[in-house]
């Protein structure tokens, strides 16, 4: 997570994110961390919340996911909104 390109890691995790895969909860947790690392705090919060809401998530992971969801939600809510007339590149 610290040295590889986040988009490359996300592509590798994509196959594991299928709910029928036994590693999908771990892949979702890592995807949330990667989203946060890229500054995509709202997406990170949603992915973490998805883990909280998933009944197959193990208890210890659910607790981490609750913490991550709250953390990233707080970051996304405190981020300054872009001006409405801001031009996109």
């Amino acid at each position: 997570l610290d040295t590889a390109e986040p988009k490359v890691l996300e592509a590798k995790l994509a196959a594991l994110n299928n709910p029928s895969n036994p590693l999908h909860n771990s892949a979702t947790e890592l995807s949330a961390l990667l989203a946060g690392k890229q500054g995509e705090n709202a997406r990170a919060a949603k992915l973490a919340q998805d883990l909280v809401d998933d009944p197959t998530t193990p208890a210890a992971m659910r607790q981490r996911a609750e913490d991550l969801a709250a953390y990233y939600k707080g970051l996304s809510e405190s981020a300054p909104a872009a001006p409405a007339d801001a031009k996109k590149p």
Side-chain angles (χ1 to χ4, degrees), residues 44-75:
K46 183 199 177 311
L47 288 167
Q49 188 62 50
D50 288 349
L51 278 175
V52 172
D53 297 339
D54 185 341
T56 68
T57 302
M61 185 180 288
R62 179 174 285 109
Q63 180 59 54
R64 285 194 309 271
E66 287 173 358
D67 294 342
L68 286 173
Y71 175 74
Y72 286 121
K73 183 178 179 189
L75 287 178

Side-chain angles (χ1 to χ4, degrees), residues 2-78:
D2 289 333
T3 59
E5 270 303 309
K7 293 296 181 189
V8 172
L9 292 175
E10 283 184 355
K12 290 181 179 186
L13 289 171
L16 301 175
N17 277 323
N18 183 330
S20 66
N21 188 307
L23 296 174
H24 82 277
N25 289 320
S26 295
T28 301
E29 183 177 31
L30 290 170
S31 295
L33 293 169
L34 285 168
K37 182 175 176 117
Q38 296 174 86
E40 299 174 11
N41 297 322
R43 184 169 147 249
K46 183 199 177 311
L47 288 167
Q49 188 62 50
D50 288 349
L51 278 175
V52 172
D53 297 339
D54 185 341
T56 68
T57 302
M61 185 180 288
R62 179 174 285 109
Q63 180 59 54
R64 285 194 309 271
E66 287 173 358
D67 294 342
L68 286 173
Y71 175 74
Y72 286 121
K73 183 178 179 189
L75 287 178
S76 65
E77 289 174 352
S78 66

